[in-house]
Amino acid sequence: MNWGVTLNLAYQANAHTRPQALHWFLVPMGAIVFISIGLILLGQSLDRVFNPRVRARHEKMAGDVTADATDDEESGSKMIDEHLRQ
């Protein structure tokens, strides 16, 4: 048996209408969702590692965020200095 067959048999036996048989739906659905999300995340991470275009774009975006954070910190410290001088 596989998860699709389990879900089909549970549906045919009206397990979705009985709370005591709800686990026949939730367990296969949870496993399918968990494995799907895991494979999607694995594929995206492998794409970032092995695809030079995606890696360059990701590094550029990360650099922009770091530069923006540094600019924000400098402007914040300048504002504090000006306030203390007054």
Side-chain angles (χ1 to χ4, degrees), residues 58-72:
H58 180 69
E59 289 172 357
K60 179 182 174 190
M61 291 173 69
D64 291 345
V65 171
T66 306
D68 290 343
T70 305
D71 292 343
D72 290 344

Side-chain angles (χ1 to χ4, degrees), residues 1 4 6 13 17 21 24 27 32 37 41 48 50 53 56 62 66 68 70 72 78 80 84 86:
M1 273 223 242
T6 303
T17 60
W24 286 106
V27 173
I32 291 170
I37 290 173
L41 293 175
R48 284 187 181 173
F50 293 114
R53 282 188 243 152
T66 306
D68 290 343
T70 305
D72 290 344
K78 287 179 185 177
I80 293 173
L84 292 175
Q86 293 175 359

Side-chain angles (χ1 to χ4, degrees), residues 10-85:
Y11 185 76
Q12 289 176 357
N14 290 328
H16 60 285
T17 60
R18 298 180 297 163
Q20 66 271 20
L22 194 59
H23 65 279
W24 286 106
F25 277 117
L26 296 180
V27 173
M29 279 189 215
I32 291 170
V33 168
F34 179 73
I35 288 177
S36 298
I37 290 173
L39 290 174
I40 289 169
L41 293 175
L42 177 67
Q44 286 179 350
S45 63
L46 290 176
D47 195 33
R48 284 187 181 173
V49 170
F50 293 114
N51 189 346
R53 282 188 243 152
V54 174
R55 184 175 50 227
R57 183 175 46 206
H58 180 69
E59 289 172 357
K60 179 182 174 190
M61 291 173 69
D64 291 345
V65 171
T66 306
D68 290 343
T70 305
D71 292 343
D72 290 344
E73 290 173 3
E74 289 175 2
S75 64
S77 64
K78 287 179 185 177
M79 289 175 55
I80 293 173
D81 290 341
E82 290 175 11
H83 181 71
L84 292 175
R85 287 183 195 149

